[in-house]
Amino acid sequence: MTRLKDILIARIDDTGPMTLADYMNVCLMHPEHGYYATRDPLGAGGDFITAPEVSQMFGELIGLSLAQAWLDQGAPNPFTLAEAGPGRGTLMADILRVTSIVPGFHAALKLHLIETSPTLRAKQQTTIGRSDINWHATFHTLPQQPLFFVANEFFDALPIRQFKRDGANWREHLIGAKNEALYSKWSQPLLIPALEYRLSDTHDGVIVELSENIATCATQLGGLINTHGGTALIIDYGDWRSLGDTFQAVAKHEPANPFSRPGDADLTAHVDFEALTIAAAPAKHSRLTPQGVFLERLGITQRAEQLSANLIGDALNAHIKAYQRLTSPVEMGTLFKVIALYPDGVTPPPGVEP
Ligand code: SAH
């Protein structure tokens, strides 16, 4: 039994069954035994691999898109360059390297990272190698100034609640404990005002998901961008509107049971981009764009050709595989989607459409 399982069972014995959001929060974020607090989960030797770890091209193109958005908005100085959930810091390191050719960008930027894991903060310091990194635990403390923001596979790690339709009511997915084991159950039918709009597009037995954490982050982001200018590029897997059970656990690159070894598996859910944009209003949002289309529009094919000129043998094969992995519809190309937030009256960043 993991330490976290003991902690969860004690808490459930004390205060009753917990919501899926509370469960995810403890499993991922517990300061001592939480999944992210205790390890670097990324890469071949870890539990999963992300786009910036697949190829430098991902961060380069995102960096240039953000820099173009900064130029289009009159090159504000100073501005916040921020990333939420930077993992190993690879994406930000690639963004910083590629934008060093953009006149004035580095002189104006203030670097802010939103990260709770001490292990990953240390990793980010090493990868990024700057002495001026400002870390935050939440979005609330970001400075009141123009904000150019990126998050890749951050929102999918935020806790969700799950509900199953029952007439005009909803039963909530709860985690209980019996005989030293955790189990899932559905609550009594509840009236959930936040889900009233889902009564028209669901029927009995359908599962929908709701993330108060995503809404809080999106409201902060949208507010800063709408007030001070800037843009956000958000990349994640998910869809326009949540439908069905998307809660999943992954350990060592394989699906895992989310309740058997709490704290040892990554827990995620698909992002409901519609809910994210509603919470970010009055900031405007782009269309939801498949990652492959986004990267093609930004010139990934030309960049891939340019890089391949210096490669031979295994290195060349790995590079071609990485390009396919990021863009192909059967790999990350359509599973992952991109959405941008920006103020009213401003051109969205290159790669997405209004
Ligand atoms: N963006 C990186 C890593 C994705 S893993 C990449 O693409 O490789 C998710 C990241 O979000 C980790 O850095 C994790 O520690 C961080 N994270 C997860 N939940 C968080 C929360 N509630 N607040 C701050 N950071 C969080």
Side-chain angles (χ1 to χ4, degrees):
M1 171 138 43
T2 62
R3 287 296 310 279
L4 211 50
K5 200 166 192 168
D6 292 338
I7 293 168
L8 285 158
I9 290 173
R11 192 170 141 183
I12 292 167
D13 286 346
D14 219 26
T15 55
M18 63 204 305
T19 67
L20 195 54
D22 287 341
Y23 179 75
M24 281 180 85
N25 193 41
V26 174
C27 289
L28 295 176
M29 288 300 157
H30 188 278
E32 249 180 287
H33 309 292
Y35 178 76
Y36 283 114
T38 50
R39 75 200 72 205
D40 167 8
L42 290 139
D47 289 325
F48 57 95
I49 186 158
T50 57
E53 304 296 332
V54 168
S55 166
Q56 70 188 68
M57 296 186 289
F58 185 78
E60 290 173 348
L61 295 169
I62 286 181
L64 293 176
S65 177
L66 288 178
Q68 187 60 51
W70 176 75
L71 290 169
D72 289 343
Q73 292 189 36
N77 180 5
F79 75 95
T80 302
L81 177 64
E83 180 177 358
R88 289 179 169 174
T90 309
L91 173 56
M92 187 48 80
D94 289 336
I95 291 173
L96 289 167
R97 189 183 65 256
V98 75
T99 52
S100 64
I101 59 167
V102 180
F105 192 82
H106 276 233
L109 77 81
K110 306 281 175 230
L111 188 55
H112 292 264
L113 303 178
I114 296 146
E115 174 62 70
T116 36
S117 157
T119 312
L120 289 172
R121 281 189 184 190
K123 193 97 196 172
Q124 290 153 20
Q125 177 62 67
T126 310
T127 309
I128 297 169
R130 289 171 62 125
S131 56
D132 60 349
I133 305 177
N134 302 283
W135 275 280
H136 302 254
T138 71
F139 288 67
H140 291 83
T141 46
L142 286 174
Q144 298 290 326
Q145 61 188 19
L147 170 63
F148 291 79
F149 171 92
V150 66
N152 181 63
E153 289 208 50
F154 168 75
F155 286 95
D156 68 14
L158 298 186
I160 54 143
R161 294 167 70 186
Q162 268 187 344
F163 297 90
K164 189 188 271 190
R165 174 102 180 250
D166 183 341
N169 294 315
W170 302 87
R171 292 177 186 268
E172 178 157 18
H173 185 174
L174 298 176
I175 316 305
K178 205 168 21 191
N179 304 332
E180 303 289 292
L182 297 167
Y183 70 96
S184 280
K185 64 172 187 175
W186 295 100
S187 75
Q188 293 303 306
L190 307 162
L191 194 69
I192 308 288
L195 288 176
E196 198 165 330
Y197 76 112
R198 300 307 306 269
L199 293 176
S200 60
D201 73 332
T202 55
H203 53 80
D204 260 11
V206 165
I207 292 174
V208 300
E209 296 169 341
L210 199 65
S211 176
E212 280 139 16
N213 298 66
I214 291 186
T216 306
C217 295
T219 301
Q220 292 288 324
L221 261 184
L224 281 172
I225 288 170
N226 205 55
T227 308
H228 302 286
T231 195
L233 282 174
I234 295 163
I235 307 107
D236 229 307
Y237 51 119
D239 261 302
W240 184 244
R241 189 175 270 202
S242 97
L243 193 62
D245 171 14
T246 72
F247 180 57
Q248 61 167 345
V250 167
K252 304 273 171 255
H253 301 267
E254 298 287 342
N257 178 332
F259 305 111
S260 60
R261 295 178 58 83
D264 279 353
D266 185 33
L267 303 178
T268 60
H270 284 199
V271 174
D272 178 342
F273 285 97
E274 182 191 41
L276 191 156
T277 62
I278 291 171
K284 298 284 165 211
H285 64 86
S286 71
R287 280 190 224 177
L288 193 57
T289 308
Q291 174 175 301
V293 173
F294 172 76
L295 295 173
E296 287 297 350
R297 285 192 186 137
L298 292 174
I300 193 168
T301 303
Q302 291 88 328
R303 181 64 180 137
E305 281 167 2
Q306 198 181 36
L307 287 170
S308 66
N310 304 318
L311 300 171
I312 50 164
D314 287 350
L316 179 60
N317 287 336
H319 171 63
I320 294 168
K321 273 218 177 79
Y323 163 73
Q324 284 167 345
R325 188 152 183 194
L326 290 179
T327 56
S328 161
V330 295
E331 299 197 62
M332 297 173 115
T334 49
L335 181 61
F336 283 83
K337 313 242 174 22
V338 185
I339 205 161
L341 303 174
Y342 46 93
D344 199 9
V346 156
T347 338
V352 296
E353 289 179 334

